[in-house]
Amino acid sequence: MRATSLSRFWRAAAGTAAIEFAILAPPFLCLAFGVYEFGRALWTMEALQESVTQGARCIGVQSTSCYASGIYSDANTISYVQNVAQGWGISVPTADIVPTQSTTCGTVAGFAQVQITYQFSTVVGSLIPALANETLTATSCFPDNP
């Protein structure tokens, strides 16, 4: 009698779809969330890079967005960079933006530079604590216009 119960158990097909789903769902969901978060991280990095590029250019060409009455203004530059980032859907705190009017880039002097250090937080960080907060850094230089 016991042999027939075991053979009947192994031949039963009821519930196999649920078991297969339970086996395949976790890896599929990890892959799907991983692709989504990686894409979001790339989007954020592109937004930060575009923001610092526009900010350095703003300083270098002496745009009125970064200058007040012809005098360079850190506050105006930071506000400008934040507006560019906001256009990409990224909110960058003031403390994370470092504009420099005249510095060296590489070994060449006479450049404007903007740097952003941004804490990227991910949904996956709740599941994997090592990914909770990742620091993204973007830097750009533009030649100063004399």
Side-chain angles (χ1 to χ4, degrees):
M1 169 142 170
R2 184 170 181 198
T4 59
S5 295
L6 282 174
S7 66
R8 206 173 14 187
F9 174 74
W10 289 111
R11 283 184 282 139
T16 56
I19 292 171
E20 289 170 355
F21 179 78
I23 291 170
L24 294 177
F28 176 74
L29 289 174
C30 286
L31 179 67
F33 278 118
V35 168
Y36 175 77
E37 286 299 301
F38 185 73
R40 204 169 67 86
L42 284 177
W43 173 268
T44 302
M45 193 62 212
E46 178 62 25
L48 296 176
Q49 189 60 50
E50 183 63 24
S51 299
V52 296
T53 301
Q54 291 298 321
R57 183 182 178 282
C58 180
I59 298 169
V61 299
Q62 299 180 1
S63 172
T64 56
S65 299
C66 294
Y67 284 74
S69 302
I71 299 171
Y72 171 71
S73 169
D74 271 348
N76 287 3
T77 302
I78 290 170
S79 177
Y80 178 78
V81 171
Q82 286 175 322
N83 289 337
V84 173
Q86 193 64 43
W88 283 79
I90 306 295
S91 179
V92 181
T94 302
D96 292 352
I97 303 170
V98 180
T100 308
Q101 182 185 18
S102 185
T103 188
T104 60
C105 282
T107 58
V108 182
F111 280 86
Q113 181 181 33
V114 177
Q115 180 176 10
I116 294 178
T117 304
Y118 182 78
Q119 289 295 321
F120 178 75
S121 60
T122 175
V123 178
V124 180
S126 301
L127 302 172
I128 305 169
L131 300 177
N133 285 315
E134 192 65 32
T135 302
L136 301 178
T137 303
T139 304
S140 184
C141 295
F142 194 88
D144 280 330
N145 188 11

